[in-house]
Amino acid sequence: MTAPDLTSLIESLPRGMVITDPDVLSAYRYDRANDPDAGTPAALVRPMTTEHVQTAVRWAAAHDVPIITRGAGTSLSGGSTAVDGALTISTEKMRQLTVDTATRTAVTQPGMLNAEVKAAAAEKGLWYPPDPSSFEICSIGGNVATNAGGLCCVKYGVTTDYVLGLEVVLADGRALRLGGKQLKDSAGLPLTKLFVGSEGLLGIVTEVTLRLLPPQAPACTVVGSFGSVRAAVEAVLTVTSQIRPAMLEFMDGVSINAVEDMLKMGLDRDAGALLVAQSDAPGPAGAAEVALIEEAFGACGAAEVFATSDPVESEAFTAARRAAIPAVERIGALLLEDVGVPLPALPDLIDGVGAIAAENDVLISVIAHAGDGNTHPLIVHDPADAEETARANRAFGQIMDLAISLGGTITGEHGVGRLKKGWLRDQVGDDVMDLMEMIKSAVDPKGLLNPGVMLS
Amino acid sequence: MTAPDLTSLIESLPRGMVITDPDVLSAYRYDRANDPDAGTPAALVRPMTTEHVQTAVRWAAAHDVPIITRGAGTSLSGGSTAVDGALTISTEKMRQLTVDTATRTAVTQPGMLNAEVKAAAAEKGLWYPPDPSSFEICSIGGNVATNAGGLCCVKYGVTTDYVLGLEVVLADGRALRLGGKQLKDSAGLPLTKLFVGSEGLLGIVTEVTLRLLPPQAPACTVVGSFGSVRAAVEAVLTVTSQIRPAMLEFMDGVSINAVEDMLKMGLDRDAGALLVAQSDAPGPAGAAEVALIEEAFGACGAAEVFATSDPVESEAFTAARRAAIPAVERIGALLLEDVGVPLPALPDLIDGVGAIAAENDVLISVIAHAGDGNTHPLIVHDPADAEETARANRAFGQIMDLAISLGGTITGEHGVGRLKKGWLRDQVGDDVMDLMEMIKSAVDPKGLLNPGVMLS
């Protein structure tokens, strides 16, 4: 497409807010999905206020220029990958945040990082639960766009469970307030919920009202190392059929070794799989949960079971699990899967991923939020090796096919983005695709917002 | 409108499924809102399967006949009030239900009552938390349509927090499956969430997949009687600023006396207000919560504080609170409010309702899910007294105006229905109304589903 004349946009926003320097633009081409088809933005806009966003969107609408909204650029599905000729609107400078203890809410602009929201809540004696592994580097706006999950969501739910209100800028530049600080609200269509997880297709989130909880009780951690992946997965089902742990994470042998290479914390390099579980139930109830987890791990053949109530030790194991993706990434580039299945299908999913790895002769390390059936097979490959990359890409698709065949989802928490949209129709069917497209067309008739994301 | 020729509809469904007997039809005119403007259905359809619903909807679409979907007919906002010339589709015979312990889910047709879902879950050692006061007589389909709340949702959330998947029939007769048994799913626009609380405007829910929890731990109940409403409300804020109780219910003096008249359980007839709180935290944590609640009640001037861990006593107080609406209804007909505010505004809301009662010279009894700021002012009036009814209606509107002015909502859990739609625009504004109407028009372009509900 022809490069748009940016003069009127530049003039209508504060000096320096619209950036066209090619060096800067090139830094905004990719997100963590490293899509090789990433384009280059026509310009980068870094608004600080809702009004700035409205100005940019109105300009784009008037000139038929598409918009890619970008948070911290940590999308693993290509949700913020740049498009040639489009504006990239980065929310990184939208960083106002207030915590209201009386209503137990945080009102934040989208550019705040998840960890910053957590910290601000904690400073006031409150807790923002959702905890993607990337919580130190991902933005709350991106969390809302993808309905991000994390480790504690097996017990505490995902982002949508904490979003009470939103301010959004629609494709025509209007700013809308949805929901608010009240805990219950049945007035009108549930638009707040529609926007959480809509991957920026319906509007740009410019403010989020988040529900906060009282602080989490101190958790006890149980770590089990297993000879085989299968034994560990059986232990997961044994636990989840009886209690609802506050965390139940899975790592396979490859990821254990990768993390041990990086952190040197003394993980068992010979283990086939590791489970890290937590209970935050207080008092005797917590002790009973810990005992139940230990017993389940033992009954399923754990070689070693270790329980601790020491917060430093607990955090070390949680950090090990969180480090798995960057650790495995040191072996090679990753195609990062995010498939989820109903829990009883978890063994079949994990076995099937093993078979897909063998069939395609690629290394696939599996880590998982096992307690909610959401897995992250990490497909290791060398992007410089076209043939291997082709095999990795084939495995990527086959894993989604497998999850769909098991009644699951192609994405539990990362979103469809650009990388997974080829499989969305297979999961949801033609009629649901049609409904999504009807809603997208009604709300953004020109298709200006995040073209190429989720829908085609 | 001209009465539609029903022959082809009658012929296309099993014998007896389409009912035109005027005596039967007249029983389906009203719901619990008793809207005096209720119409009479052209016919009543009582499908048993999704295919029956599709047949009826396709017929209606082909003949431009509007459809009112009705669950158990317990809507308090007129959501299932009949419309002249429309089909009423009642889901009362859609009563298949299965509980899957492996995935901790229930898959149910919409006609099952909330209490039946709870009982089926309990039979398998699981728990379906949402508990509207009407749980013994309201249907799960209606709960989904209104995103129903209840007493325990101050801690456990509302219906939308438990809906993992839906089957819906769209206005053109297509049946769609949304979501499923997986706990996390970020694939595509969050349509499951869009349908929960959409009051039947976008489709007819024909199956619901519900998330179940492990059973609730035994709860301790703390009851406090207060000299004044204001003192009780202060106690609410004192508790909620420190802990998250499993229940925190409020009754004023009028409702206390009405319940005592009906149940004769020994409530303090002189009390200005009663609070019923519960903690279900296990062990010492629960004891600490109970002590905190007792202390807060005492510090705010409770005349009497009573704590019990006896399940029978606990249930008696919960039942007393649940009985408040039918009990007050024995004084006179009710206009039943459902306004909610952010918690710090609760005292102003309750004071303001008192002022509105005085100004309009009507009796308004206030009960509330106080812990989440959701109140039910019950406006007592005699429908045969036109002048008093006019004053009651004025008060009804003024209470919504007040809630809006306090940053709250016109409906926390009952839905907008027909009775409250005149205030929805005041709450959400023109642009949000516009967005709702865009989505409604896109999904139901002929406006056949629940015309007159929520939107005009």
Side-chain angles (χ1 to χ4, degrees):
Chain A
M1 62 186 292
T2 329
D5 178 359
L6 297 159
T7 315
S8 59
L9 175 65
I10 292 168
E11 284 171 356
S12 62
L13 284 169
R15 195 185 170 90
M17 193 166 280
V18 181
I19 295 158
T20 53
D21 176 339
D23 290 343
V24 178
L25 294 186
S26 75
Y28 284 79
R29 294 185 61 201
Y30 298 96
D31 51 32
R32 290 253 161 172
N34 291 316
D35 184 349
D37 299 329
T40 301
L44 168 70
V45 184
R46 291 192 292 207
M48 300 182 72
T49 68
T50 301
E51 292 69 29
H52 295 154
V53 174
Q54 292 182 275
T55 300
V57 172
R58 287 199 180 109
W59 179 89
H63 296 80
D64 287 336
V65 174
I67 294 167
I68 299 294
T69 305
R70 181 182 179 98
T74 60
S75 173
L76 294 162
S77 57
S80 49
T81 303
V83 167
D84 282 333
L87 282 192
T88 285
I89 297 183
S90 165
T91 60
E92 71 198 278
K93 292 189 183 297
M94 300 182 76
R95 293 179 46 76
Q96 298 294 312
L97 166 72
T98 55
V99 173
D100 175 2
T101 53
T103 55
R104 285 191 188 162
T105 53
V107 176
T108 178
Q109 285 187 304
M112 291 302 281
L113 303 183
N114 176 296
E116 293 173 321
V117 175
K118 279 183 183 297
E123 223 169 78
K124 300 284 179 76
L126 292 166
W127 180 38
Y128 177 65
D131 58 348
S133 294
S134 57
F135 77 108
E136 289 168 306
I137 55 170
C138 63
S139 74
I140 203 76
N143 290 181
V144 170
T146 56
N147 189 19
L151 282 63
C152 76
C153 63
V154 58
K155 181 163 181 178
Y156 289 98
V158 292
T159 303
T160 192
D161 300 313
Y162 294 88
V163 178
L164 293 175
L166 291 174
E167 183 186 61
V168 295
V169 172
L170 298 185
D172 60 10
R174 283 184 294 171
L176 267 57
R177 301 201 77 88
L178 306 171
K181 290 185 173 183
Q182 57 274 18
L183 291 175
K184 284 155 79 183
D185 194 345
S186 283
L189 296 179
L191 298 178
T192 309
K193 293 287 188 190
L194 175 62
F195 275 83
V196 180
S198 63
E199 300 193 35
L201 260 65
L202 305 179
I204 299 177
V205 171
T206 51
E207 190 186 279
V208 189
T209 301
L210 294 166
R211 175 182 195 160
L212 305 175
L213 298 188
Q216 185 178 25
C220 289
T221 301
V222 185
V223 183
S225 62
F226 294 82
S228 74
V229 161
R230 188 86 196 189
V233 173
E234 273 163 20
V236 168
L237 297 185
T238 306
V239 170
T240 56
S241 65
Q242 298 177 82
I243 59 160
R244 198 178 183 201
M247 181 194 296
L248 186 44
E249 294 290 318
F250 169 97
M251 295 167 65
D252 70 358
V254 172
S255 58
I256 293 167
N257 277 280
V259 168
E260 184 59 23
D261 286 345
M262 191 163 89
L263 299 183
K264 299 188 175 34
M265 58 186 287
L267 299 177
D268 177 4
R269 287 186 177 275
D270 295 327
L274 193 78
L275 292 179
V276 183
Q278 284 191 345
S279 164
D280 63 358
E289 286 193 355
V290 168
L292 187 151
I293 296 169
E294 288 182 297
E295 194 181 312
F297 285 10
C300 295
E304 202 182 337
V305 181
F306 169 74
T308 178
S309 59
D310 180 73
V312 176
E313 284 182 339
S314 286
E315 176 52 26
F317 284 106
T318 312
R321 164 56 191 87
R322 277 198 219 100
I325 294 178
V328 176
E329 208 162 18
R330 298 182 352 162
I331 306 175
L334 300 184
L335 270 173
L336 208 151
E337 264 297 356
D338 176 38
V339 292
V341 289
L343 271 171
L346 192 59
D348 289 342
L349 179 70
I350 299 214
D351 284 353
V353 169
I356 290 169
E359 182 193 328
N360 293 287
D361 190 23
V362 285
L363 176 64
I364 306 183
S365 172
V366 177
I367 58 175
H369 307 305
D372 54 32
N374 181 205
T375 71
H376 296 311
L378 309 174
I379 309 170
V380 183
H381 66 111
D382 175 3
D385 180 340
E387 195 272 332
E388 186 182 67
T389 300
R391 282 184 278 117
N393 279 321
R394 193 167 57 215
F396 186 72
Q398 286 173 348
I399 291 172
M400 285 188 275
D401 294 339
L402 173 63
I404 294 169
S405 76
L406 294 170
T409 178
I410 59 172
T411 171
E413 54 185 13
H414 295 170
V416 173
R418 311 179 86 80
L419 298 197
K420 299 199 151 206
K421 67 180 169 176
W423 285 264
L424 182 59
R425 184 177 295 271
D426 291 343
Q427 178 181 332
V428 303
D430 289 342
D431 289 337
V432 174
M433 286 301 289
D434 195 28
L435 183 55
M436 290 181 189
E437 281 157 5
M438 282 195 290
I439 291 171
K440 167 69 172 173
S441 298
V443 180
D444 176 18
K446 290 179 163 179
L448 292 179
L449 299 177
N450 281 6
V453 169
M454 188 195 297
L455 309 174
S456 43
Chain B
M1 62 187 292
T2 330
D5 179 358
L6 297 159
T7 314
S8 58
L9 175 65
I10 292 168
E11 284 171 357
S12 62
L13 284 169
R15 194 185 171 88
M17 194 167 279
V18 181
I19 295 158
T20 55
D21 177 339
D23 290 345
V24 178
L25 294 186
S26 75
Y28 285 79
R29 294 185 60 202
Y30 298 96
D31 52 31
R32 290 253 160 173
N34 291 316
D35 184 348
D37 298 330
T40 301
L44 169 70
V45 184
R46 290 193 291 205
M48 299 182 72
T49 68
T50 301
E51 292 69 29
H52 296 153
V53 175
Q54 291 182 277
T55 299
V57 172
R58 287 199 182 108
W59 179 88
H63 296 80
D64 287 336
V65 174
I67 294 168
I68 299 295
T69 306
R70 182 183 179 97
T74 60
S75 173
L76 293 162
S77 58
S80 48
T81 303
V83 166
D84 282 333
L87 281 192
T88 285
I89 297 184
S90 166
T91 60
E92 71 198 280
K93 292 191 184 294
M94 301 184 75
R95 293 178 48 75
Q96 299 293 313
L97 166 72
T98 56
V99 173
D100 176 1
T101 53
T103 55
R104 285 191 188 162
T105 53
V107 176
T108 178
Q109 284 187 306
M112 292 301 282
L113 302 184
N114 175 296
E116 294 172 320
V117 175
K118 279 182 183 298
E123 223 169 78
K124 300 283 178 76
L126 292 166
W127 179 39
Y128 176 65
D131 58 347
S133 293
S134 58
F135 76 108
E136 290 169 304
I137 54 170
C138 62
S139 74
I140 203 74
N143 290 182
V144 170
T146 56
N147 188 20
L151 281 63
C152 76
C153 63
V154 58
K155 180 164 180 177
Y156 289 99
V158 292
T159 303
T160 192
D161 299 313
Y162 295 89
V163 178
L164 293 175
L166 291 173
E167 183 186 61
V168 295
V169 172
L170 298 185
D172 60 10
R174 283 183 294 171
L176 267 57
R177 299 201 76 88
L178 305 171
K181 289 185 172 182
Q182 59 273 18
L183 291 174
K184 283 154 81 181
D185 193 347
S186 283
L189 296 179
L191 297 178
T192 308
K193 293 287 187 190
L194 175 62
F195 276 82
V196 181
S198 62
E199 300 194 35
L201 260 65
L202 306 179
I204 299 177
V205 171
T206 51
E207 190 187 278
V208 189
T209 301
L210 295 166
R211 174 182 196 159
L212 304 175
L213 298 189
Q216 185 178 26
C220 290
T221 302
V222 184
V223 184
S225 62
F226 295 81
S228 73
V229 161
R230 188 84 196 191
V233 174
E234 272 163 22
V236 168
L237 298 185
T238 306
V239 171
T240 57
S241 65
Q242 298 176 82
I243 58 160
R244 200 178 181 200
M247 182 194 297
L248 186 44
E249 293 290 319
F250 170 96
M251 295 166 66
D252 70 357
V254 172
S255 58
I256 294 168
N257 277 280
V259 168
E260 184 59 23
D261 287 345
M262 191 163 89
L263 299 183
K264 299 188 175 35
M265 59 186 287
L267 298 177
D268 177 4
R269 287 185 177 274
D270 295 328
L274 193 78
L275 291 179
V276 184
Q278 284 190 345
S279 165
D280 62 359
E289 286 193 355
V290 168
L292 186 151
I293 296 168
E294 289 183 297
E295 194 181 312
F297 284 10
C300 295
E304 203 182 334
V305 181
F306 169 74
T308 178
S309 59
D310 180 73
V312 176
E313 284 183 337
S314 284
E315 175 53 26
F317 283 106
T318 311
R321 163 57 190 87
R322 277 199 218 99
I325 294 177
V328 176
E329 209 161 16
R330 299 184 351 161
I331 307 175
L334 300 184
L335 268 172
L336 208 151
E337 264 296 354
D338 176 38
V339 291
V341 288
L343 271 172
L346 193 59
D348 289 343
L349 179 70
I350 300 215
D351 285 352
V353 170
I356 289 168
E359 183 194 328
N360 293 287
D361 191 23
V362 286
L363 176 64
I364 305 183
S365 173
V366 177
I367 57 175
H369 306 306
D372 55 32
N374 181 205
T375 71
H376 296 312
L378 310 173
I379 309 169
V380 183
H381 65 110
D382 174 4
D385 180 341
E387 195 272 333
E388 187 182 66
T389 301
R391 281 184 279 120
N393 280 318
R394 192 167 58 213
F396 186 72
Q398 286 173 349
I399 291 172
M400 286 188 273
D401 294 340
L402 174 63
I404 294 168
S405 76
L406 293 170
T409 178
I410 59 172
T411 171
E413 54 186 12
H414 296 170
V416 173
R418 310 179 86 78
L419 298 197
K420 299 198 152 208
K421 68 180 167 175
W423 286 263
L424 182 57
R425 184 176 296 271
D426 291 343
Q427 178 180 331
V428 302
D430 289 342
D431 289 337
V432 174
M433 286 300 291
D434 194 28
L435 183 55
M436 290 181 188
E437 281 157 4
M438 282 194 290
I439 291 170
K440 168 69 172 172
S441 298
V443 179
D444 176 19
K446 290 177 164 182
L448 292 179
L449 300 177
N450 281 6
V453 169
M454 189 197 295
L455 309 174
S456 41

